[in-house]
Amino acid sequence: ARRAGAVLRLNPEETRKHGLQPAPGLELDAELANDVDLCFALGGDGTILTALRTYAGSGVPVFAVNFGEIGFLATVEREHAQEGFRRAFAGEFEVLSLPGIALSGGSGGWLAINDVSMHRQPGNRVADLAYAVASDEVGRVRCDGLVIATPAGSTGYNLANGGPVMAWGVEGFVVSFIAPHSLTARALVVAPEDVLAVHNRSLDESVDVTIDGRPACVLPPGGQIAARFVDHQGSLAQIAGTTFYQR
């Protein structure tokens, strides 16, 4: 970073984690803000998703080095980190725009870059979930849960559910069930302009809602939550020539 003439800004948590002391080219104990040229995320997909949500809609690219297990969203692997940093500081990367899912309900609003999942609570009976587009209820299934995924997230939990893989660049999102107690439950790809409403039809059991794998809220019996496609949320740096199919 110093050789490139760049200033590294680190928030209080990162400053403490690495035991950093004041030095040229370092801005320590700094709160995260959008007035930066690039965000480095060193970790797995969870860390990368946190960075993408933090800078969602700002246009700040996230350059990710995989220190996790899969690293599907990573720009480079850890063994190529040094060359990756050189490319990053030289601006030798492309920026891929990723859509998100805006979620709204009675207790607030959230943004997911990968997926929204709804799970029955441990020890409770199976969930009774229905989903509708506008006034049309498309399906109602007793199941362990339901996943709403973006194209980027379609290769995660949705794929494990047997849902379709959506190539990056496809607009819209996919809905798939977790362990449905049904012979006819099928995944559904929703058009980008459609708003999807998920209803908890249970009379007694609440459902846990997670955003990109992290707890967000609880959907009570009789409650509902709405999901809509929003374009141009995450900005993911990638090395030229990298494709979705290569990943």
Side-chain angles (χ1 to χ4, degrees), residues 4-244:
V7 174
L8 293 181
R9 178 183 293 172
L10 298 105
N11 67 8
E13 181 184 357
E14 294 295 319
T15 300
R16 289 193 304 272
K17 183 192 300 181
H18 302 293
L20 298 173
Q21 299 298 320
L26 293 181
E27 192 175 324
L28 304 180
D29 293 317
E31 294 303 322
L32 295 178
N34 291 344
D35 60 336
V36 295
D37 298 309
L38 189 65
C39 168
F40 285 105
L42 281 66
D45 283 331
T47 300
I48 301 167
L49 287 167
T50 298
L52 287 167
R53 286 195 307 272
T54 299
Y55 289 99
S58 70
V60 174
V62 173
F63 194 102
V65 182
N66 182 28
F67 280 81
E69 294 295 327
I70 298 176
F72 187 74
L73 295 172
T75 311
V76 295
E77 295 298 316
R78 62 187 300 175
E79 58 268 25
H80 303 301
Q82 292 301 324
E83 173 62 13
F85 293 144
R86 185 198 66 76
R87 285 175 175 248
F89 287 122
E92 297 175 0
F93 58 86
E94 299 172 345
V95 179
L96 176 69
S97 177
L98 296 177
I101 296 170
L103 203 67
S104 58
S107 58
W110 303 267
L111 175 72
I113 297 295
N114 245 19
D115 55 33
V116 178
S117 55
M118 304 176 193
H119 308 258
R120 70 183 179 110
Q121 295 181 328
N124 286 355
R125 291 191 291 269
V126 295
D128 184 358
L129 298 177
Y131 62 90
V133 176
S135 60
D136 300 312
E137 184 171 293
V138 180
R140 178 176 176 178
V141 180
R142 293 182 64 81
C143 54
D144 281 355
L146 174 150
V147 173
I148 307 168
T150 65
S154 69
T155 55
Y157 211 160
N158 165 73
L159 178 64
N161 293 338
V165 172
M166 299 174 69
W168 290 3
V170 172
E171 293 189 345
F173 54 93
V174 60
V175 183
S176 57
F177 291 102
I178 306 168
H181 291 234
S182 167
L183 293 175
T184 57
R186 292 291 183 268
L188 172 72
V189 177
V190 181
E193 66 273 10
D194 289 337
V195 177
L196 182 87
V198 179
H199 303 265
N200 182 2
R201 297 297 192 195
S202 173
L203 299 177
D204 305 298
E205 310 291 347
S206 294
V207 174
D208 290 329
V209 181
T210 63
I211 304 293
D212 292 336
R214 303 200 174 186
C217 65
V218 173
L219 188 63
Q224 74 173 59
I225 206 161
R228 61 184 179 86
F229 178 89
V230 282
D231 212 350
H232 306 301
Q233 292 303 297
S235 297
L236 185 67
Q238 58 178 6
I239 301 301
T242 303
T243 69
F244 165 80

